[in-house]
Amino acid sequence: MQVKNPILGLCQQAKFALSAAKVDQCPADQGYEVAFAGRSNAGKSSALNTLTHASLARTSKTPGRTQLLNFFSLDDERRLVDLPGYGYAKVPIPLKQHWQKHLEAYLGSRECLKGLILMMDVRHPMTDFDKMMLDWSQAAGMPMHILLTKADKLTFGAAKNTLLKVQSEIRKGWGDAVTIQLFSAPKRQGLEEAYGVLAKWMELADKPAE
């Protein structure tokens, strides 16, 4: 009998905890956090909502709407974090600078941060923002898993070719530590693989489901 992934039940009961504009407004630095990052309009909110089977993160047709670090509790010691969308041209420069300053402060200071899920639109991967996040995760020794989102927008063959191409580019530039997969929120493609990563980082992989 296949054992249900223990992270699934936790994700289904995810609840909004708080929003923080600065690091000192974040929850206590303990337990397990996994942060979700992505260039504006990369499908980050849709991916979060699909993984949690809820409408936790606001999706918007106006990129750059997520301006705070939004924390969602899975249980007393595990959280998902929706990081500010970044890189959208219409966002005022001072706001961009504010986001970058506090995003870097969060990523560089949180002891409980166990890994980073980076969203890339499969049609427009490896932007400057994506490369910046890859550089940061490598320098910090932070595990990173990439979701190539909106995979349903391409044929299976085209999506697979993009996956292999990006995978090769990352291995050459950043080594084998970064993992990557295809993902589609509308088609619910890639959920099991993503849940497996979350379970491992949150040290749930070997625990039986309740």
Side-chain angles (χ1 to χ4, degrees):
M1 188 177 85
Q2 187 176 12
V3 178
K4 183 181 177 184
N5 191 329
I7 195 70
L8 183 58
L10 289 183
C11 284
Q12 288 176 335
Q13 63 189 33
K15 296 176 182 176
F16 174 75
L18 60 85
S19 295
K22 300 178 181 179
V23 175
D24 59 12
Q25 298 170 348
C26 294
D29 192 358
Q30 58 194 31
Y32 305 82
E33 277 179 6
V34 173
F36 286 69
R39 194 178 187 279
S40 297
N41 215 22
K44 177 165 55 69
S45 295
S46 296
L48 260 172
N49 289 339
T50 301
L51 287 165
T52 57
H53 295 207
S55 296
L56 295 177
R58 284 183 61 189
T59 57
S60 173
K61 293 189 182 299
T62 305
R65 285 289 292 273
T66 306
Q67 300 177 16
L68 303 168
L69 291 90
N70 294 306
F71 292 81
F72 303 99
S73 298
L74 302 185
D75 61 16
D76 289 341
E77 56 179 5
R78 293 175 176 86
R79 295 172 296 277
L80 303 180
V81 188
D82 186 10
L83 300 179
Y86 185 79
Y88 188 57
K90 292 184 181 178
V91 173
I93 293 296
L95 186 54
K96 279 187 181 180
Q97 293 171 339
H98 170 83
W99 290 355
Q100 185 167 5
K101 175 184 174 183
H102 294 294
L103 185 59
E104 289 178 352
Y106 167 78
L107 293 172
S109 67
R110 291 292 277 183
E111 294 291 334
C112 64
L113 183 60
K114 304 303 180 186
L116 188 64
I117 304 282
L118 178 62
M119 250 63 49
M120 294 185 194
D121 186 328
V122 70
R123 300 164 299 175
H124 313 288
M126 300 301 287
T127 65
D128 289 342
F129 170 82
D130 299 329
K131 293 174 183 177
M132 182 181 79
M133 297 306 291
L134 281 158
D135 287 342
W136 178 85
S137 68
Q138 182 182 56
M142 177 66 60
M144 176 181 280
H145 183 68
I146 294 170
L147 301 185
L148 285 177
T149 61
K150 308 186 183 184
D152 56 291
K153 300 290 187 183
L154 300 178
T155 64
F156 176 78
K160 192 72 174 179
N161 285 339
T162 299
L163 172 66
L164 294 173
K165 181 179 178 181
V166 174
Q167 201 168 40
S168 175
E169 185 175 349
I170 288 172
R171 280 179 179 160
K172 289 176 184 175
W174 293 271
D176 296 326
V178 179
T179 51
I180 186 171
Q181 67 167 100
L182 293 172
F183 189 88
S184 167
K187 300 291 186 182
R188 306 185 65 76
Q189 176 186 351
L191 284 176
E192 285 303 314
E193 191 173 349
Y195 282 137
V197 172
L198 290 174
K200 178 183 176 182
W201 288 351
M202 292 187 166
E203 298 186 10
L204 286 164
D206 299 323
K207 295 185 180 182
E210 294 182 0

